[in-house]
Amino acid sequence: MASSVMRRVSLRNLRAHKLRLFLTVFSIVLGTCFVAGSIVFTSTVSKAFNDIFDNAAPGVAVEITPKNSQSPGVPQSVVDELTAQKQELGIDRIVQNYTGLVTIANSDGKALQTGGAPSVGTAYIPPDQSLDPGAEPLLPGGRAPTAPDEIVLNSSAAKEAGLEVGSTTKVVLGQGSAQPREVTVVGLIELPGSTGGYVNVQFDKTTASQLFSDGDHAAQVDMSAVDGVTPDELKQRVENALPANTYEVRTGDQVRQDQKDSVNEFLTIFTAILLAFAAVGLIVGTFIIYNTFSMIVAQRNRELALLRAVGASRKQVSRSVLFEAFVVGLIGGIVGLGIGIGLAAGLQALTTAMSGLPDAPLQIGVPAITAALFVGVVVTMISAWVPAVRASKVPPVEAMRAGMAEGTAASLRMRTVVGVLLGVAALVVIIIGATGVGVGPAIAVGAGAAMAIAAVVLAGPAMSRPVVGALGSVIGAPFGKIGRLARTNAVRNPRRTSATAFALTLGLLLVAVIGTLGTSFKGTVNEMVDKGLTADFIVAGTNNL
């Protein structure tokens, strides 16, 4: 019964101070929206690429490619040998794939951007010869390519490029070293999972062989298995039939997974960068929340003391403050999730328009929702825990007093001593780490920096009085009585002043660290390029159409 009464008191207190509630929720939203937005955006981009690669190599049980990347491909003799052993090995169909990088022009004559998705040229394979049992026929109004200047294009790429059956455009092979080829789109084909920027330009088999191979080799050889033979079994049989350590034999699932891994490796780094910026907002938000609840408790000393005077226990008072933190954190987490989704949608639209990243529906999954609510509720309650404990210690007699001293020099003595000792230790560790090179010294510098941050947190309140007092006298002088009042207010509560200043300091510190790392990395790359590249001129191809 008493607990329900305290909850009602907490809710009424929140409703009675709407501005304070809004500002507290806003500080939580700053941290949660970046975390949620980062997760939603990277999940969306990852889903777009995965949709492409999940539908790669359809119907392929086993794929053969050369182990040496400089090899011209898989020789025709190997294909003939495998064809002769089809029944013995359990092969149903064999298809030689001639493939290579291409760039196609859109209706404006400019290169069609794929945002990192593959843009490849292949040979057109009729549905009755395809390994994919569900291979789609050409869309109505189109036909198969029969001449070197005719192509079939996947429908999503055609839509993005503004092309249709009968359109004339240009195709550049490889990295742009060859002259653009004038081609005509004679057919469109629907390819599952190709809506994310994937481009597939299909030539007739003879033309593809001439463009992407020397005529005696195929870039890869795909095959399907007869009923009763699994892809793993067929892979083992084909490996035994081929010369050792010459070709790479993979199942279709391995091919798709390898392609996804290469993209997800980049996305992992991209996610880490976004979450690093989210961490800046979260850490700063934590200090803001802590400071906010500290001020709330200070403003409510008499109210909390009256609750104690009418019979509320210490646990009930601290739980009432934590309950307020829970409600505020829950609201902030939900609002932050909504704003984060909006940020992810805006960032996706921006990157899709500017860099051509694959497009896909927003992926608002359990991780994003859980992260937003966890950050909102848990971080808020942790930040409010110290003020809640402090609130529980308000003696009932305070209800009879007009005010309460908000901290004394004696109460800061122990934490200041610990902070100074920790600061000295941090300085020693940083100096030792800075004199070396390698992972160990770098870790030492990082540990020293963490210790220095903790030292500032502990010694900050004691340092704030002389520092703020001196600066306040100078800065506040031109403002007269208002300046003196501001200086007095800042000096009066050193804990609050230190916590507020440290939130800003930490944000600037992290931004400075990221900026320094970026500049250092850029300088390192420039130095490597300057030392490794000594030629006066470089001739290279271009993809400009």
Side-chain angles (χ1 to χ4, degrees):
M1 180 68 178
S3 298
S4 63
V5 171
M6 294 300 292
R7 284 196 293 270
R8 288 199 296 272
V9 170
S10 298
L11 294 175
R12 288 176 181 175
N13 180 68
L14 291 174
R15 289 195 295 268
H17 301 86
K18 295 182 177 61
L19 179 60
R20 188 173 68 192
L21 172 64
F22 170 77
L23 294 176
T24 308
V25 169
F26 181 73
S27 66
I28 300 169
V29 168
L30 287 178
T32 56
C33 69
F34 285 114
V35 173
S38 299
I39 296 175
V40 170
F41 176 72
T42 52
S43 297
T44 300
V45 176
S46 178
K47 178 66 165 55
F49 279 108
N50 286 340
D51 282 347
I52 295 173
F53 296 130
D54 280 339
N55 291 279
V60 175
V62 171
E63 180 178 280
I64 306 172
T65 55
K67 278 194 173 182
N68 185 357
S69 59
Q70 303 301 319
S71 170
V74 180
Q76 181 64 44
S77 58
V78 171
V79 178
D80 294 338
E81 183 179 346
L82 292 174
T83 302
Q85 302 179 59
K86 283 178 61 175
Q87 186 173 359
E88 177 184 346
L89 297 175
I91 300 173
D92 182 23
R93 289 181 179 178
I94 297 180
V95 173
Q96 297 167 262
N97 283 328
Y98 305 98
T99 182
L101 299 178
V102 299
T103 302
I104 189 170
N106 58 23
S107 57
D108 295 329
K110 298 180 180 179
L112 177 62
Q113 301 299 317
T114 66
S119 179
V120 296
T122 60
Y124 171 74
I125 302 175
D128 59 344
Q129 300 177 20
S130 173
L131 299 182
D132 183 11
E136 296 286 342
L138 294 176
L139 295 179
R143 61 174 176 82
T146 57
D149 61 347
E150 295 179 347
I151 64 169
V152 166
L153 187 62
N154 59 309
S155 57
S156 60
K159 180 179 179 181
E160 184 69 22
L163 302 175
E164 57 186 14
V165 175
S167 297
T168 300
T169 185
K170 295 180 180 179
V171 172
V172 173
L173 306 179
Q175 297 297 326
S177 57
Q179 290 296 319
R181 295 173 61 90
E182 294 279 351
V183 295
T184 300
V185 180
V186 297
L188 300 178
I189 188 170
E190 190 77 37
L191 297 179
S194 66
T195 58
Y198 175 70
V199 177
N200 183 204
V201 180
Q202 301 181 2
F203 299 85
D204 68 273
K205 186 175 181 179
T206 301
T207 301
S209 174
Q210 295 172 350
L211 296 178
F212 306 123
S213 77
D214 58 4
D216 295 326
H217 296 79
Q220 67 221 29
V221 176
D222 295 333
M223 58 194 73
S224 58
V226 298
D227 292 338
V229 177
T230 66
D232 289 328
E233 290 174 343
L234 181 57
K235 173 189 172 183
Q236 186 63 47
R237 295 177 186 180
V238 171
E239 284 180 336
N240 294 335
L242 296 176
N245 300 321
T246 304
Y247 302 102
E248 184 174 6
V249 183
R250 296 177 295 171
T251 64
D253 289 339
Q254 289 175 323
V255 172
R256 288 181 283 273
Q257 189 59 49
D258 288 345
Q259 293 176 338
K260 286 192 287 187
D261 289 344
S262 63
V263 172
N264 287 331
E265 183 178 354
F266 161 75
L267 292 178
T268 300
I269 299 174
F270 191 59
T271 303
I273 295 174
L274 290 177
L275 290 178
F277 283 99
V280 174
L282 180 60
I283 295 173
V284 174
T286 299
F287 279 91
I288 293 175
I289 296 167
Y290 169 79
N291 201 39
T292 300
F293 274 93
S294 295
M295 289 186 288
I296 289 174
V297 171
Q299 293 170 357
R300 296 176 57 198
N301 273 334
R302 298 187 65 187
E303 174 190 333
L304 298 175
L306 282 172
L307 290 175
R308 293 290 311 282
V310 297
S313 66
R314 286 188 173 185
K315 287 185 177 180
Q316 288 173 329
V317 171
S318 62
R319 287 173 182 173
S320 70
V321 176
L322 288 175
F323 179 70
E324 289 185 28
F326 171 79
V327 173
V328 172
L330 184 62
I331 296 173
I334 295 174
V335 174
L337 175 62
I339 295 177
I341 294 172
L343 289 175
L347 185 58
Q348 182 196 21
L350 179 64
T351 53
T352 300
M354 295 184 63
S355 63
L357 274 176
D359 194 9
L362 286 177
Q363 300 301 304
I364 309 170
V366 174
I369 298 174
T370 304
L373 295 181
F374 176 84
V375 169
V377 175
V378 176
V379 170
T380 302
M381 294 188 69
I382 291 175
S383 302
W385 180 75
V386 173
V389 173
R390 191 180 304 156
S392 69
K393 295 180 180 179
V394 176
V397 72
E398 289 299 326
M400 313 302 173
R401 298 176 55 185
M404 175 181 171
E406 297 186 69
T408 62
S411 65
L412 299 175
R413 185 174 301 149
M414 181 57 68
R415 64 180 290 172
T416 303
V417 172
V418 174
V420 171
L421 294 176
L422 193 59
V424 172
L427 182 61
V428 173
V429 173
I430 291 174
I431 293 175
I432 294 175
T435 57
V437 178
V439 178
I443 294 176
V445 172
M451 294 168 61
I453 292 174
V456 173
V457 172
L458 293 173
M463 294 168 56
S464 68
R465 278 183 170 170
V467 173
V468 173
L471 290 176
S473 299
V474 178
I475 299 175
F479 299 94
K481 292 182 179 180
I482 295 177
R484 290 195 296 272
L485 179 62
R487 173 185 174 277
T488 302
N489 186 58
V491 173
R492 180 172 58 89
N493 191 334
R495 286 189 176 90
R496 184 178 64 195
T497 301
S498 176
T500 304
F502 186 73
L504 177 60
T505 300
L506 187 59
L508 295 175
L509 181 149
L510 294 176
V511 172
V513 167
I514 294 173
T516 302
L517 287 175
T519 304
S520 300
F521 180 75
K522 180 180 178 181
T524 302
V525 172
N526 289 340
E527 183 179 356
M528 292 176 61
V529 172
D530 290 339
K531 290 182 178 180
L533 190 61
T534 59
D536 294 326
F537 297 97
I538 296 177
V539 179
T542 176
N543 278 341
N544 294 331
L545 294 170

